[in-house]
Amino acid sequence: MAPTDDSGQSTRHAPATGTTPPEGAPAGGAAGPGARMPRWLPRAMVLALALVAAFQFGSWAFHQLIGLLINVLIAFFLALAIEPAVSRMAERGMRRGLATFLVFLALAVFTAGFVTLLGSMLAGQIIKMVEGFPDYLDSVINWVNATFHTHVRRVDVQEGLLHSEWLRKYAQSSAAGVLDVSTQVLGGLFRLLTVGLFSFYFAADGPRLRRALCSVLPPARQTEVLRALELAVDKTGGYLYSRGLMALVSGIAHYVLLEALGVPYAPVLGVWVGLVSQFIPTIGTYLAGALPMLIAFTVDPWYAVWVLVFVVVYQQFENYMLQPKLTAKTVDIHPAVAFGSVIAGTALLGAVGALIAIPAVATLQAFLGAYVKRYAVTDDPRVHGHRTRPAAPGLFARARQTWVRRPETETAAAGTGAVAEQSGSAE
């Protein structure tokens, strides 16, 4: 029992001298100065550092291999493009490797012939322009002297050009850029070889690659992957088929015009316009028309104007008449979607993205369309673009309604007067 004083309250004993009362635990459960680090914290720090290092390494590797990945992507779509021809030849008993080689040989022969004809045409035109340059210069000088009453001579112009500072700097920069051009040419040849090898392997070993891919997937996923590959082959082949038809029509149309104007190398220029205008999206037509315009200008400046007018008119005909009919069954995507996909592909992968954007989007659209559930559209006027608000009647309609209501009002008034007379006589 605790001791009490006279007032009956308990007496509290003071602590002994020289001792310190124990301190309470810190608020919030914080550890004291001597507390240990949690065991999970070092492992979490090591894991975070490892993830950051893995991300940095992956980003560095991706930027180093971006060129190879783009080449593989080009090769994949090229293999999809030639897959129908290779498969058709393989179904007739030919080995896929030989069929792929024959298809690539045909493409190489066509490309080499076209480049040779185009190169000879350009070389001939450059020689013709260089030989005719003095005559052009004389005509320009005569026009300047007659218009501005000057006395300019061709010799003075030639000496001024030969001794100009601009020509000297241009010659130095051209000489220094020869090595860069050679490096770019060698790099382009190596890239072309890489794309060709990968596309050959993709096309020749297509069934083996499909089996290897399906062997690591469950049966349900295998069906979806095979369906996606089949759609990609159909859409890519259809895209190239439609582009080939439009290139043929465009080449024939421009050939007829150039032949009618008497422009030299009309067949080669027609093939040039057809291929470049169809396989370089958006600006291909105007880029392809620049070369025929330049060569037509060497014949007659007015011929270049006629070529420009024809290019613009044909572009409108192709956009609004020819392309929708040819691509309706092969690619079947909206023109706005195609234009947006080309812009997006160009922003992501440059010219390569512009070329493969449309078949890639068409494949994705067809694949999603097979799995998206659709319903019957209700028979509502707003679906067809009609507004549900009733239109206000016109002036003649309101006059007619007033004329129709007038006899009814007179009849009602006459009936009311007869009832009043009968009531008065009854009274």
Side-chain angles (χ1 to χ4, degrees):
M1 198 172 173
T4 57
D5 56 4
D6 295 339
S7 61
Q9 296 179 350
S10 299
T11 305
R12 295 181 180 178
H13 296 281
T17 306
T19 61
T20 304
E23 296 181 357
R36 290 177 125 189
M37 181 184 298
R39 295 182 178 180
W40 57 266
L41 186 58
R43 286 180 292 180
M45 295 175 62
V46 171
L47 180 61
L49 293 176
L51 290 176
V52 171
F55 176 77
Q56 294 292 337
F57 177 77
S59 177
W60 172 80
F62 177 79
H63 285 87
Q64 294 296 323
L65 299 176
I66 186 66
L68 177 61
L69 295 177
I70 293 177
N71 292 337
V72 172
L73 185 62
I74 299 173
F76 175 72
F77 274 93
L78 182 59
L80 292 179
I82 66 174
E83 176 65 24
V86 174
S87 298
R88 187 171 300 177
M89 297 171 67
E91 290 174 357
R92 297 182 178 179
M94 187 180 297
R95 297 180 58 183
R96 288 188 65 90
L98 180 59
T100 307
F101 174 76
L102 292 178
V103 173
F104 270 94
L105 181 62
L107 291 176
V109 170
F110 175 78
T111 304
F114 175 70
V115 171
T116 302
L117 291 176
L118 185 64
S120 63
M121 178 197 67
L122 291 177
Q125 291 301 315
I126 290 174
I127 293 174
K128 184 178 179 180
M129 291 176 65
V130 171
E131 291 177 351
F133 179 75
D135 297 333
Y136 288 118
L137 186 60
D138 288 339
S139 63
V140 172
I141 291 175
N142 292 333
W143 180 81
V144 170
N145 291 333
T147 304
F148 300 101
H149 304 287
T150 57
H151 301 282
V152 181
R153 297 182 304 171
R154 189 178 69 179
V155 177
D156 299 336
V157 175
Q158 290 177 349
E159 290 182 356
L161 289 175
L162 291 176
H163 296 86
S164 63
E165 185 71 16
W166 172 82
L167 184 61
R168 184 181 64 82
K169 291 183 179 179
Y170 179 77
Q172 292 178 355
S173 62
S174 300
V178 171
L179 182 61
D180 297 336
V181 172
S182 303
T183 304
Q184 292 179 2
V185 170
L186 293 177
L189 292 176
F190 179 76
R191 185 175 183 179
L192 182 62
L193 179 62
T194 303
V195 172
L197 287 176
F198 273 107
S199 59
F200 180 85
Y201 291 141
F202 285 154
D205 294 337
R208 186 183 303 175
L209 292 175
R210 292 187 183 94
R211 290 194 298 269
L213 180 61
C214 292
S215 63
V216 297
L217 297 173
R221 296 295 181 184
Q222 293 178 15
T223 305
E224 295 180 0
V225 170
L226 292 177
R227 178 178 176 80
L229 289 175
E230 190 68 23
L231 287 173
V233 171
D234 293 340
K235 294 301 179 180
T236 305
Y239 172 74
L240 293 179
Y241 174 74
S242 61
R243 288 292 173 178
L245 285 180
M246 287 191 292
L248 179 62
V249 175
S250 176
I252 292 175
H254 287 83
Y255 163 73
V256 171
L257 173 69
L258 297 174
E259 190 69 24
L261 294 177
V263 178
Y265 303 100
V268 181
L269 290 175
V271 176
W272 162 264
V273 174
L275 292 179
V276 175
S277 63
Q278 300 307 319
F279 293 98
I280 298 181
T282 308
I283 62 172
T285 300
Y286 304 103
L287 183 63
L291 183 60
M293 287 175 55
L294 179 62
I295 296 179
F297 184 82
T298 61
V299 180
D300 191 340
W302 283 105
Y303 288 175
V305 177
W306 284 111
V307 172
L308 176 61
V309 172
F310 182 82
V311 167
V312 174
V313 173
Y314 180 82
Q315 177 67 19
Q316 305 307 316
F317 165 75
E318 180 183 284
N319 290 339
Y320 294 100
M321 298 293 294
L322 186 62
Q323 183 174 354
K325 294 182 178 180
L326 290 180
T327 59
K329 296 182 180 180
T330 54
V331 182
D332 194 19
I333 59 176
H334 195 273
V337 177
F339 182 71
S341 63
V342 169
I343 294 178
T346 306
L348 292 175
L349 299 176
V352 177
L355 288 175
I356 67 176
I358 294 180
V361 172
T363 302
L364 180 62
Q365 179 180 348
F367 184 71
L368 293 178
Y371 293 96
V372 175
K373 187 176 181 180
R374 297 182 180 273
Y375 301 92
V377 180
T378 181
D379 190 9
D380 194 299
R382 289 171 292 185
V383 176
H384 304 286
H386 303 298
R387 301 181 63 184
T388 57
R389 183 191 304 174
L395 178 61
F396 294 101
R398 284 182 288 182
R400 183 180 179 184
Q401 291 176 0
T402 305
W403 182 260
V404 170
R405 290 174 182 174
R406 183 177 178 182
E408 297 178 355
T409 306
E410 293 178 353
T411 304
T416 304
V419 172
E421 292 177 357
Q422 291 179 1
S423 300
S425 60
E427 292 176 357

